[in-house]
Amino acid sequence: MQRTKPWVTTYQPSFNPIDETKLEGSILAYDLTASALPAKTRNATIAFLRTLARGYVERIGSQPRPLRHTFANNWQSHRVKLIAIAAFTLDDRKLIDAAQRLFVEQVGTNIAPDGTTRDFGERDALHYVTYDLQPLVMAALAARRHNRNWLRERSTCGATLERALDWLVPYALGRASHEEFVHNRVPFDETRRAAGLRGFSGAWDPRSAAELFHLAARLNGRYQPVALHLAPVPPPWLATCLPLPARSSER
């Protein structure tokens, strides 16, 4: 019988965080099943995750400060997420410390003290607010499983992930509305808007933030009513892969 090689020995990271953001599913699956996997698969996966996380850390570290362009917008949120979930899965102290440092840096770079995000300022779109915040929430959930509270981790400018989520809540609940991409400053978005692609014009649909708030509810239960308002049933994978919703009184 021919044995198949682990996928992680074949795939070579591109270090494009948008292309690789869905690797979160593979990392979570490994975290859940590692003890039941053959040693060869475990060792290969550990090596892959270490290469992935270290590669992203090195690429961010090589950038001049202050960070700019795709090292300051939603792309960076996805980099930080991949570093964090890999670091905590590996329980690698050095990578965990790097993940926390880069998380705080991204909060300070991408989120203003009032909770608005850099992408919202550039693109005038709540679509990109959720795209900024969801990977940061995933990173914070990885930290929470190791008893670290990144929801309120404060940057040097006073910004927090919690403040950004709170800023979005009125829009998610329908108390405020927003016309997407009206004052957008990114040419690529204008091309997609002109082509009539769904979501690049018209009013923002709050239901697109349902998964974000179901994830956030697992950081603090006070987001649970918002999540249930958007989608009465959370995505099935959440119950398996991530902790139960936090208590609303949790601090």
Side-chain angles (χ1 to χ4, degrees):
M1 180 177 177
Q2 185 177 7
R3 294 179 178 269
T4 58
K5 293 171 58 179
W7 176 81
V8 291
T9 64
T10 301
Y11 180 74
Q12 297 298 311
S14 68
F15 299 105
N16 179 316
I18 304 306
D19 290 347
E20 294 185 330
T21 190
K22 291 299 184 182
L23 286 176
E24 66 182 11
S26 298
I27 300 171
L28 287 170
Y30 170 76
D31 197 22
L32 288 169
T33 62
S35 62
L37 294 174
K40 182 178 180 181
T41 302
R42 284 200 308 273
N43 293 336
T45 305
I46 288 168
F48 172 79
L49 293 181
R50 191 161 280 125
T51 297
L52 185 75
R54 286 177 177 172
Y56 274 114
V57 171
E58 289 167 4
R59 281 159 176 79
I60 297 170
S62 69
Q63 296 299 307
R65 265 53 178 184
L67 293 170
R68 301 175 60 198
H69 307 305
T70 63
F71 283 88
N73 68 8
N74 64 86
W75 283 49
Q76 184 73 345
S77 293
H78 290 273
R79 290 187 186 95
V80 170
K81 175 192 72 174
L82 290 168
I83 294 166
I85 60 176
F88 283 110
T89 295
L90 294 169
D91 199 19
D92 183 312
R93 181 63 52 184
K94 186 175 181 179
L95 283 174
I96 288 171
D97 290 344
Q100 183 159 351
R101 172 176 54 81
L102 293 172
F103 176 90
V104 173
E105 183 178 38
Q106 173 64 353
V107 167
T109 300
N110 190 264
I111 300 173
D114 68 356
T116 54
T117 68
R118 177 182 293 249
D119 288 72
F120 183 73
E122 291 180 350
R123 308 178 103 143
D124 191 27
L126 296 180
H127 168 87
Y128 275 100
V129 175
T130 62
Y131 207 55
D132 273 318
L133 300 185
Q134 188 157 325
L136 294 179
V137 169
M138 284 289 294
L141 279 167
R144 181 179 181 271
R145 295 181 69 187
H146 288 250
N147 299 313
R148 297 189 183 208
N149 183 5
W150 287 5
L151 180 64
R152 292 177 177 164
E153 193 76 19
R154 191 175 297 274
S155 72
T156 54
C157 73
T160 66
L161 175 58
E162 182 178 50
R163 184 67 62 85
L165 288 166
D166 290 347
W167 181 88
L168 187 59
V169 164
Y171 296 97
L173 293 176
R175 296 171 185 164
S177 60
H178 182 73
E179 290 290 316
E180 295 284 83
F181 297 97
V182 173
H183 302 292
N184 170 60
R185 291 184 281 139
V186 177
F188 182 47
D189 293 337
E190 285 304 302
T191 300
R192 293 186 287 187
R193 180 184 173 97
L197 292 184
R198 184 177 179 181
F200 287 87
S201 63
W204 180 66
D205 183 358
R207 292 173 297 180
S208 65
E211 186 165 287
L212 167 63
F213 280 101
H214 275 290
L215 288 164
R218 282 153 167 77
L219 290 174
N220 192 307
R222 69 187 184 85
Y223 295 114
Q224 184 77 342
V226 184
L228 294 175
H229 172 80
L230 296 172
V233 179
W237 68 271
L238 283 180
T240 302
C241 296
L242 294 168
L244 294 173
R247 296 186 300 275
S248 58
S249 61
E250 186 170 309
R251 294 295 177 188

